[in-house]
Amino acid sequence: MILDDLETAKALAGTGLHVWLKVDCGYHRAGVDPASRYGLEVARELGAERGLTFDGILSHSGHAYRTRDKTEAAQIAEQERQVMAWFGNSCAKTGYPFAGSVSARPPRWRP
């Protein structure tokens, strides 16, 4: 299951589900803000081992669909990589572990 909401994370306690935390990497439509305290609060709840498995964090840079060329798509992919690495490290440093997976849907450029 994919989520980006603290109340949903709390509601899923005890379900045995495998859960991914969605991270906003620039499109600002879905996902926790990686620079926010709220994002870490959701990660903390998921990492509390309350009967679910926090499998990792994921993102989708939907704004990459509007790129004009491969260079611009590569810049968005690098920005996404940096954000995900930073947020993953922030989670680890603050003691909110996850299974260790970080996933991103790579931007594609179509001429």
Side-chain angles (χ1 to χ4, degrees):
M1 171 168 275
I2 300 169
L3 63 84
D4 63 359
D5 178 75
L6 183 59
E7 292 307 312
T8 302
K10 289 178 180 180
L12 293 176
T15 62
L17 291 172
H18 286 254
V19 181
W20 290 79
L21 176 58
K22 187 162 188 174
V23 178
D24 179 1
C25 281
Y27 198 44
H28 309 301
R29 189 179 73 176
V32 295
D33 177 348
S36 72
R37 184 175 173 188
Y38 181 79
L40 290 175
E41 288 176 20
V42 179
R44 181 188 67 224
E45 179 63 30
L46 293 174
E49 300 180 7
R50 300 185 208 280
L52 57 77
T53 302
F54 184 15
D55 281 330
I57 58 177
L58 65 87
S59 65
H60 172 74
S61 290
H63 58 298
Y65 295 128
R66 296 187 191 135
T67 58
R68 294 176 293 250
D69 56 38
K70 289 180 183 180
T71 300
E72 191 176 356
Q75 289 170 342
I76 290 174
E78 176 58 18
Q79 175 191 7
E80 182 176 30
R81 185 199 66 77
Q82 289 176 6
V83 168
M84 295 297 283
W86 182 84
F87 186 69
N89 287 333
S90 294
C91 289
K93 286 179 186 175
T94 53
Y96 312 142
F98 50 88
S101 296
V102 177
S103 178
R105 187 177 191 289
R108 290 190 323 185
W109 177 74
R110 296 181 198 175

